[in-house]
């Protein structure tokens, strides 16, 4: 059985947003026992990641790492039509994931204890983001 | 229903190659309505990515970023049998993706407006690359 | 048909571990001909990757690259409760993959000649790691 759902999220700008609950709700609603849940973001300046879900300092440190590795306003970049965070948002997206593929077992995504599903907004301004969830199971 | 197809691409050396049309054609041919399309590259020195498909400057900037982060001929690398771009090609591949998992809806990959599917050749010399497409749907 | 299996691995600390044989064994046991094999790691301080499987120097060079890009004990990081390799392990995981999605053809994962499936332990201390394998096929 194949089911699809959409998660919409209005971000408040750059930062991480926990969508684990919404993904688990879509799987529960699909009513399968075992299978695969594919989470897919339909954008190229925001991305998905699985990350430690306990200490908020992890998210701050991730931002620090990305800010150093892919700095806003880097003079190396020529794609700057939408501002100094435009091209860095594409690079950050490519270094992380556009899709996550999670095993479903016992009717839910079988994540590790410390794994959360996060949408990572890489643009500084708030954006409306669409995430597609495809559930294949039986 | 499960279908597989192969896309072969002769690259002209380092750079990005838009394969969105070929992936969509494989999905169309599979004749499903809803499901999942997994694109997989069978190499470790070329990779796949979803990226902004409108401004060619994005691709140039991505190359600039990778050239700075993973420079050819870096004296740190000892795996140099195939030349100064050998090990950087492996690192670039690992920092990006070997597989993309795209939701299928209405008989086609349901990409965002600005998302294209790209093969990224990381070797300087032209290579013959094989990409496998697996489509699960109904 | 959907099958799940678990691979458990006791790592000896930071480094890469070839699990290709265990993944192929799970697919063989599932008894399908064609489909998709999703390998998923249930941790945020170890990750998965597809990499060149012939020259051990590749793995040493990958460690060198990560050690330079995401150094242990970086004063930028504040999430240090478990030591100087705690936050770097999360960053390394996010720059690589938590899931790999491999086409199955002829009853086995249809990898390229030089592709191996590796678990990459990012913590310095040995850890017990759990990897879930979901196989969808017919």
């Amino acid at each position: 059985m194949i089911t699809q759902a959409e998660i919409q999220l209005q971000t408040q700008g750059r930062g991480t947003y926990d969508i684990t609950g919404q993904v688990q709700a879509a799987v529960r609603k699909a009513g399968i026992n075992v299978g695969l849940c594919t989470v897919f973001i339909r954008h190229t300046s925001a991305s998905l990641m699985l990350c430690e879900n306990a200490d908020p300092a992890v998210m701050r440190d991730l931002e620090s790492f990305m800010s150093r590795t892919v700095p806003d306003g880097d003079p190396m970049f020529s794609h700057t039509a939408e501002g100094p965070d435009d091209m860095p948002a594409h690079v950050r997206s490519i270094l992380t994931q556009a899709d996550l593929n999670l095993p479903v077992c016992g009717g839910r995504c079988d994540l590790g204890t410390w794994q959360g599903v996060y949408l990572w907004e890489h643009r500084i301004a708030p954006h409306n983001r669409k995430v597609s969830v495809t559930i294949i199971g039986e």
Side-chain angles (χ1 to χ4, degrees), chain A:
Chain A
M1 195 172 66
I2 303 178
T3 312
Q4 281 180 336
E6 189 174 78
I7 297 170
Q8 287 214 33
L9 187 76
Q10 177 64 44
T11 72
Q12 305 306 310
R14 186 172 282 176
T16 53
Y17 300 84
D18 190 337
I19 59 168
T20 314
Q22 289 161 83
V23 172
Q24 292 287 21
V27 171
R28 208 160 42 234
K29 200 173 167 193
I32 62 159
N33 178 43
V34 65
L36 185 70
C37 171
T38 298
V39 190
F40 177 81
I41 189 161
R42 300 173 74 245
H43 306 275
T44 63
S45 57
S47 60
L48 300 175
M49 73 171 162
L50 281 164
C51 192
E52 207 266 19
N53 58 10
D55 179 6
V58 170
M59 299 301 163
R60 289 195 299 272
D61 287 353
L62 285 173
E63 283 292 344
S64 300
F65 174 79
M66 281 295 184
S67 295
R68 184 175 69 187
T69 307
V70 197
D72 288 341
D74 193 315
M76 181 176 70
F77 294 139
S78 59
H79 175 78
T80 56
E82 294 189 20
D85 61 325
D86 185 352
M87 192 61 213
H90 294 310
V91 176
R92 285 160 162 248
S93 297
I94 282 156
L95 293 178
T96 53
Q97 326 293 330
D99 62 78
L100 299 176
N101 301 276
L102 315 172
V104 175
C105 181
R108 61 196 305 280
C109 292
D110 190 25
L111 302 174
T113 310
W114 309 106
Q115 283 181 315
V117 181
Y118 292 87
L119 185 154
W120 199 347
E121 174 63 74
H122 299 302
R123 299 302 308 273
I124 291 168
H127 277 73
N128 185 27
R129 299 303 192 177
K130 292 181 184 172
V131 172
S132 160
V133 185
T134 301
I135 300 151
I136 301 176
E138 59 189 23

